[in-house]
Amino acid sequence: MSPMRLGQAEATRPTTRLRMLLAGKRPLVVPGCYNALSARILEHVGFEAVYMSGYGTSLSLLGLPDAGFATLTEMAMNARLIAGAVRAPVIADADNGYGNAINVVRTVEEFVRAGVAGIHLEDQVAPKRCGHVAGREVVSRREAVLKIRAAVAARDALDRDFVIVSRTDARGAHGGSLDEAIWRANAALDAGADLAFVEGPVDRAEVERICREVRGPVFYNMTGISPRLSEAEMAGLGVAVCILPGQAMRATMMAVHDFARAVRERGTMAELELDAAFKAHPLGDMHGFAGFDRVRELEAAFLPPEAQEKYADTLGHMPRSSAGR
């Protein structure tokens, strides 16, 4: 079982590690999380990087849709908690930068200090909304490019390895087109963005055109109205990064709903069935996954020997000591 991060952080900065991943296998598949727990599960399974979903943050933290309700403070806080829980580098949704180009400067600074490895910034007007929900509007070309320039300048002042992904919603926005989206993607790359993210292509032909005409690495969001492609297909097209932003949240919603319905319909003994199924699951040792073994290791290393005496003659889950491994 992969250990919790507590006291076991990587020496190499997450930004540098993300750069190394981006230089390697393509596409880099990055599933989405919405909190520290879901991030840890994704890392436990073996994903080398994780993505903080903006929709997932808004819905899990606020109980509200991705319609511009989550603030910079709330998004950066969630990013900080996620980055602090895993060793895998985190790419975070930074919405539209929460204001104009000057606000973008602070947005980049907050996410850098939160410990994430990169962010994507979109060109929507405020309040923004999910890139797969109708009713989106985008700012002017000039404003979109200036916001990316501001983001790059702020990044370079703090950590040049921090990854800036420029997202454009111009394909599906009011009055938008794929031509406009590709123009904006290339303009953002010219302004210093590391990857270009054209949100919401509707079929494979549009993805092919994006990969052919965008003059830099392509960041692809496989969700909503966009086509589903295999890793081999994306590699053939030239996709650099593919995020799967909301699937973990949807899986959680289904599981919690089904459990609640079972208890509502069959009573409290439904919990017994869940408990048995959970114990047989790869994550069935919840206390071990949470990190109680690591806590005991740290106690043995840094507390007086008598601190171990509290484990004698007590009831409940017994964390394993290093000596017992």
Side-chain angles (χ1 to χ4, degrees):
M1 182 169 291
S2 60
M4 62 192 289
R5 179 176 171 178
L6 188 64
Q8 302 181 107
E10 297 283 350
T12 307
R13 293 177 304 178
T15 53
T16 304
R17 284 185 280 121
L18 179 59
R19 291 275 179 181
M20 294 170 62
L21 289 173
L22 292 174
K25 177 186 176 183
R26 292 194 175 188
L28 175 65
V29 177
V30 185
C33 65
Y34 54 89
N35 62 10
L37 172 60
S38 57
R40 283 201 56 204
I41 294 170
L42 296 176
E43 181 181 55
H44 172 79
V45 172
F47 285 98
E48 297 175 288
V50 297
Y51 169 74
M52 186 193 86
S53 162
Y55 202 139
T57 298
S58 185
L59 188 54
S60 65
L61 197 64
L62 307 178
L64 294 172
D66 184 12
F69 295 113
T71 65
L72 167 60
T73 300
E74 291 159 338
M75 293 288 283
M77 177 195 71
N78 199 35
R80 179 176 290 105
L81 294 172
I82 290 169
V86 295
R87 288 175 288 182
V90 178
I91 304 170
D93 185 345
D95 295 320
N96 57 6
Y98 313 100
N100 64 18
I102 311 308
N103 296 97
V104 165
V105 172
R106 181 176 179 234
T107 295
V108 171
E109 291 178 348
E110 289 297 316
F111 278 94
V112 170
R113 291 166 182 153
V116 303
I119 58 172
H120 68 74
L121 290 160
E122 66 203 35
D123 58 359
Q124 284 194 52
V125 303
K128 56 81 47 134
R129 60 178 50 200
C130 170
H132 294 261
V133 175
R136 297 185 309 288
E137 299 175 282
V138 294
V139 299
S140 70
R141 285 180 170 186
R142 179 172 176 77
E143 182 175 355
V145 171
L146 288 173
K147 289 174 80 169
I148 294 302
R149 287 181 182 171
V152 171
R155 180 271 306 279
D156 290 349
L158 288 174
D159 182 353
R160 287 181 176 271
D161 279 348
F162 188 79
V163 174
I164 301 290
V165 181
S166 178
R167 165 178 152 178
T168 176
D169 284 72
R171 167 64 185 95
H174 174 67
S177 68
L178 187 58
D179 287 340
E180 179 66 15
I182 291 172
W183 187 96
R184 288 176 179 238
N186 283 321
L189 290 168
D190 291 342
D194 297 295
L195 296 100
F197 175 1
V198 175
E199 180 66 293
V202 298
D203 55 33
R204 182 189 171 102
E206 291 197 351
V207 180
E208 290 175 349
R209 186 179 166 199
I210 291 165
C211 291
R212 184 171 62 250
E213 297 184 22
V214 170
R215 300 186 298 270
V218 171
F219 187 98
Y220 182 54
N221 184 12
M222 193 183 298
T223 192
I225 64 173
S226 296
R228 272 53 177 179
L229 303 169
S230 69
E231 287 94 333
E233 288 176 302
M234 287 187 284
L237 293 173
V239 171
V241 178
C242 173
I243 56 169
L244 307 171
Q247 284 76 353
M249 179 177 65
R250 289 182 173 91
T252 300
M253 291 169 66
M254 291 170 59
V256 173
H257 172 274
D258 292 350
F259 167 68
R261 185 169 183 175
V263 173
R264 181 74 173 172
E265 293 179 351
R266 303 202 308 273
T268 56
M269 293 308 290
E271 187 275 338
L272 185 63
E273 298 173 13
L274 174 69
D275 190 56
F278 184 72
K279 287 176 179 175
H281 190 273
L283 291 181
D285 179 7
M286 186 185 74
H287 299 301
F289 176 79
F292 269 104
D293 295 346
R294 179 60 179 158
V295 170
R296 190 168 184 183
E297 287 180 355
L298 291 170
E299 289 175 340
F302 301 116
L303 296 183
E306 56 268 25
Q308 296 293 313
E309 295 175 4
K310 63 177 173 288
Y311 291 105
D313 302 319
T314 61
L315 300 177
H317 173 83
M318 180 63 70
R320 292 179 296 174
S321 66
S322 299
R325 293 191 175 190

